[in-house]
Amino acid sequence: MGAGGSHDEGLRPDEVDDLVEFSGFTKHDVEKLYSRFRKLDRQGVGFITRAELLKIPELAMNPLNNRVMIYFGGEDKDRINFKEFVQYLSTFNKSATRVEKARAVFNIFDVDEDGYISSGELYDILKSMVDDNIEDAQIKLIVARIIQEADEDLDGKLSFHEFYATLLGPRLEKELTISWEDE
């Protein structure tokens, strides 16, 4: 099977159809993704590792790449097959809803996976994004302001609803959408 076995087999038409159906990608998109996946799977074993995923420039340069990697495969999973690769990327497909995209971002920010983004998690995420370009005291002020403005129920943390309603504007669709037309 191409989606989970050796990459030399290619994808069968029924596999492409199944991937199109559950992911919302077009056949052309699935073929492009498969081509990229094959380039990352240099040994032809039918899966890619976290290290191979980090060869994607957009992930390698992303300061949140460790969190994104956990989103891709979980804390303990070191490899994913092509079907899983498409499944994770489908969140960033143009047909994915704003809520689906927001949920993916929320899950990346929710480090302890308790369904909330705490001020500590928000601080850690922001710190990783700005590195040493902003002083810790300034980051703490930014976090406090975000929590103050977004925390509707005053519990000191952000639920998905609060995160979605307050922090994610109309640019979300564009910023979190993969476009394959240029390739």
Side-chain angles (χ1 to χ4, degrees), residues 107-122:
N107 289 341
I108 289 169
F109 279 52
D110 180 16
V111 177
D112 65 5
E113 299 177 1
D114 67 349
Y116 296 94
I117 299 172
S118 69
S119 58
E121 289 169 322
L122 191 53

Side-chain angles (χ1 to χ4, degrees), residues 106-153:
F106 181 86
N107 289 341
I108 289 169
F109 279 52
D110 180 16
V111 177
D112 65 5
E113 299 177 1
D114 67 349
Y116 296 94
I117 299 172
S118 69
S119 58
E121 289 169 322
L122 191 53
Y123 171 84
D124 290 342
I125 294 290
L126 291 176
K127 178 70 175 165
S128 71
M129 292 172 71
V130 299
D131 201 25
D132 291 328
N133 296 322
I134 298 179
E135 293 183 27
D136 286 352
Q138 289 176 301
I139 297 172
K140 289 177 183 176
L141 287 173
I142 293 168
V143 167
R145 184 169 180 177
I146 290 171
I147 297 289
Q148 179 183 10
E149 291 179 9
D151 184 17
E152 296 173 0
D153 61 8

Side-chain angles (χ1 to χ4, degrees), residues 68-177:
V68 172
M69 300 313 304
I70 290 170
Y71 172 75
F72 259 89
E75 190 77 51
D76 299 324
K77 192 165 186 177
D78 188 46
R79 62 187 198 180
I80 61 170
N81 65 31
F82 180 65
K83 183 176 181 179
E84 293 166 324
F85 183 72
V86 171
Q87 180 181 355
Y88 300 126
L89 290 177
S90 70
T91 303
F92 306 105
N93 183 2
K94 60 187 169 199
S95 68
T97 68
R98 180 179 288 182
V99 172
E100 290 170 322
K101 292 174 184 186
R103 178 60 73 181
V105 173
F106 181 86
N107 289 341
I108 289 169
F109 279 52
D110 180 16
V111 177
D112 65 5
E113 299 177 1
D114 67 349
Y116 296 94
I117 299 172
S118 69
S119 58
E121 289 169 322
L122 191 53
Y123 171 84
D124 290 342
I125 294 290
L126 291 176
K127 178 70 175 165
S128 71
M129 292 172 71
V130 299
D131 201 25
D132 291 328
N133 296 322
I134 298 179
E135 293 183 27
D136 286 352
Q138 289 176 301
I139 297 172
K140 289 177 183 176
L141 287 173
I142 293 168
V143 167
R145 184 169 180 177
I146 290 171
I147 297 289
Q148 179 183 10
E149 291 179 9
D151 184 17
E152 296 173 0
D153 61 8
L154 304 175
D155 63 356
K157 54 191 175 187
L158 302 181
S159 66
F160 173 72
H161 168 76
E162 293 164 334
F163 177 79
Y164 181 78
T166 306
L167 299 177
L168 299 175
R171 290 181 43 194
L172 179 70
E173 306 275 352
K174 184 177 179 193
E175 297 292 327
L176 297 177
T177 301

Side-chain angles (χ1 to χ4, degrees), residues 3-108:
S6 170
H7 82 260
D8 293 329
E9 299 172 22
L11 289 174
R12 295 187 320 258
D14 63 312
E15 289 177 310
V16 173
D17 291 342
D18 288 346
L19 292 168
V20 166
E21 185 176 332
F22 89 77
S23 72
F25 284 117
T26 66
K27 286 183 181 186
H28 177 73
D29 292 339
V30 169
E31 290 166 0
K32 289 270 190 195
L33 286 170
Y34 192 64
S35 175
R36 280 194 164 181
F37 185 85
R38 288 176 57 177
K39 287 177 185 171
L40 293 169
D41 178 19
R42 292 175 196 245
Q43 282 103 28
V45 293
F47 61 83
I48 55 178
T49 65
R50 285 179 186 235
E52 290 167 326
L53 269 173
L54 284 174
K55 291 181 181 171
I56 299 172
E58 296 84 356
L59 281 179
M61 295 183 313
N62 187 327
L64 301 177
N65 65 25
N66 286 334
R67 291 296 307 148
V68 172
M69 300 313 304
I70 290 170
Y71 172 75
F72 259 89
E75 190 77 51
D76 299 324
K77 192 165 186 177
D78 188 46
R79 62 187 198 180
I80 61 170
N81 65 31
F82 180 65
K83 183 176 181 179
E84 293 166 324
F85 183 72
V86 171
Q87 180 181 355
Y88 300 126
L89 290 177
S90 70
T91 303
F92 306 105
N93 183 2
K94 60 187 169 199
S95 68
T97 68
R98 180 179 288 182
V99 172
E100 290 170 322
K101 292 174 184 186
R103 178 60 73 181
V105 173
F106 181 86
N107 289 341
I108 289 169

